[in-house]
Amino acid sequence: MKHLLAIEDLDRADVERIMARAASFAEVGRRDIKKVPTLRGRTIVSLFFEASTRTSSSFELAAKRLSADVVSIKAAGSSVDKGESLKDTIATLSAYAPEAIVIRHPFAGAAKLVTAWTSAAVVNAGDGKHEHPSQALLDAYTLLDRLGSLEGKRIWIVGDVLHSRVARSCALCFRMMGAAVTLCGPPTLIPRGAPEALGTEIAYDLDGLGEADVVYALRMQRERMNESFVPSIREYAARYQIDSRRLGPRQLLMHPGPVNRGVELSPAVIDGPASLITAQVESGLVVRMAILYEILAGGEPRGSGGRRADAELPAPTPIGEPA
Ligand code: CP
C-alpha cells in the first residue's frame, strides 16, 4: 500500500492485514520499554489544519513507538497563518525528505492532492466531509477485539451523517467486514444517495434501534453547519440522543470523539458498561502503528520525499446533498 487515503481504496485483505499487524503491536504497549526499532531513521511529518486530540496524538505516539523521527505541525501558529498555501507548505516540509506525511485538512480531497506534490507516503487523517480511514480501521479493530467477527452484525450509525467523514469511512469498512449498516438521523442530516453509495439502510427515527448489536453515535458537527439543519439542539437530543432508556443491555456503544455530552449521548451511557469509547482511543495507537508499518515497512522501499509535478485535484466520490 503506497498511501492511506480512503477506505474505498482498500479491500478486505488490506483491512485484515492491518488488523493482524495492530494486534501484534498491542504486545509492545505492555512492555516496560514501549518501543521497537522498525522505523528507525525514517521521518514522519504530522500536519493538522483542523483541531484534533486523538488522531494527532496517536499518530505522533505511534511513530515514536516505531522509533521514527516526527515533526508535528498545527496550522494554527505555523506559516499558514501568514498566508502560506497548502502546496508551498508541502514543498517546504518535503525538503526534509520525510518518508510519510500525515495530514488533516478541511477540504475533501486534500490528502489525495498532496500526493501529487510530494514523493512521501500520504496518510489521510481526515479530509473535510470525505473520509477518515484510520478512524474506521481503529473502530473495526475495536469491534473485532470485542466481538471476534463483524459477519452478520447490525451496526447503527446515528446522528449527523451529512457532515461526517467518520460515517462514510466506517460504513464502508464495517460493510466490507460483513456487517449490515443502518444510517439514522434527521432527513436534513442524511445525504441523498447515501444508501446506494455506501450500501446501507436508512432510518429517520430510533424506533428500530433495538435490532442493533452496535450503536455508533456521531458528533453534531456544529462547526461545519452554516445553516440550521435541526430546529434546535434540544429537539435533536430529544429525538436522537442515545441514553440509558434507548440503549439495550446487550448493545455496544461507540463514538469517535470528541463527544458533545448531553447532545448525542447522555453522560450515563458515555461512562456506562456498554461504552467502547476509551477502547477506541486505545485501539487508535496500535492501529496507527500498523498503518505506518504498512505504508513504510510493509511494501517496497520509498524514495525520499522530494517535490513532484503538479496535478489536478481528483474529486472524491460524492454522496450527495441532504435528502
Ligand atoms: N475522532 C477524531 O478524529 O478525534 P480528534 O478530532 O480528536 O482527532
Side-chain angles (χ1 to χ4, degrees):
M1 189 187 303
K2 189 170 179 184
H3 308 287
L4 177 64
L5 301 177
I7 293 295
E8 63 192 350
D9 298 338
L10 307 184
D11 60 26
R12 186 162 174 161
D14 294 326
V15 175
E16 287 176 346
R17 194 172 58 251
I18 292 169
M19 301 292 100
R21 183 67 59 187
S24 75
F25 282 136
E27 184 271 330
V28 174
R30 293 191 285 272
R31 296 182 190 170
D32 285 344
I33 297 174
K34 300 174 176 55
K35 217 169 171 81
V36 289
T38 315
L39 297 184
R40 190 162 52 201
R42 311 285 186 100
T43 301
I44 296 173
V45 170
S46 167
L47 180 57
F48 278 67
F49 287 81
E50 283 188 330
S52 170
T53 296
R54 293 150 199 80
T55 313
S56 56
S57 62
S58 58
F59 265 121
E60 182 171 337
L61 190 54
K64 287 177 174 170
R65 290 212 171 163
L66 294 169
S67 302
D69 297 317
V70 188
V71 179
S72 293
I73 296 169
K74 307 269 187 196
S78 76
S79 288
V80 172
D81 280 349
K82 301 177 197 166
E84 190 162 41
S85 68
L86 175 60
K87 184 178 176 186
D88 286 346
T89 301
I90 296 299
T92 299
L93 295 169
S94 292
Y96 302 133
E99 274 74 21
I101 297 175
V102 177
I103 182 167
R104 171 172 288 186
H105 198 279
F107 294 122
K112 188 158 188 173
L113 182 61
V114 166
T115 65
W117 294 332
T118 182
S119 61
V122 176
V123 178
N124 179 9
D127 60 333
K129 294 189 284 184
H130 177 222
E131 279 227 31
H132 192 350
S134 65
Q135 179 71 45
L137 292 168
L138 75 87
D139 289 330
Y141 180 86
T142 304
L143 285 175
L144 290 169
D145 188 48
R146 183 60 66 107
L147 300 172
S149 166
L150 295 193
E151 215 58 66
K153 299 294 185 224
R154 293 178 183 275
I155 303 178
W156 276 50
I157 299 177
V158 179
D160 179 5
V161 178
L162 179 68
H163 299 100
S164 178
R165 54 196 176 208
V166 172
R168 178 181 172 79
S169 292
C170 281
L172 291 169
C173 190
F174 296 161
R175 280 201 59 248
M176 192 191 300
M177 300 305 285
V181 176
T182 298
L183 303 176
C184 175
T188 48
L189 291 177
I190 302 287
R192 191 185 308 140
E196 297 78 16
L198 303 177
T200 64
E201 299 295 320
I202 295 290
Y204 295 119
D205 57 47
L206 296 177
D207 291 353
L209 189 71
E211 72 164 29
D213 300 294
V214 178
V215 179
Y216 193 113
L218 299 170
R219 186 171 65 86
M220 281 291 275
Q221 299 199 29
R222 285 176 274 189
E223 77 276 19
R224 297 193 203 278
M225 296 184 188
N226 52 10
E227 56 186 284
S228 183
F229 287 89
V230 291
S232 69
I233 290 297
R234 182 192 291 260
E235 189 164 324
Y236 173 82
R239 292 200 62 194
Y240 294 99
Q241 183 185 94
I242 307 301
D243 58 16
S244 308
R245 195 169 41 95
R246 289 174 170 151
L247 194 68
R250 64 164 195 88
Q251 293 178 313
L252 297 173
L253 177 68
M254 302 180 84
H255 189 294
V259 179
N260 294 309
R261 279 182 179 256
V263 179
E264 60 264 9
L265 295 178
S266 72
V269 298
I270 296 169
D271 303 319
S275 173
L276 297 181
I277 295 171
T278 302
Q280 290 172 263
V281 178
E282 289 171 6
S283 299
L285 177 54
V286 291
V287 168
R288 286 168 174 137
M289 289 173 77
I291 290 166
L292 294 176
Y293 179 93
E294 172 76 18
I295 60 169
L296 295 181
E300 294 175 10
R302 300 190 58 79
S304 59
R307 280 171 121 172
R308 279 188 179 170
D310 290 359
E312 292 301 311
L313 172 63
T317 307
I319 56 174
E321 297 303 314

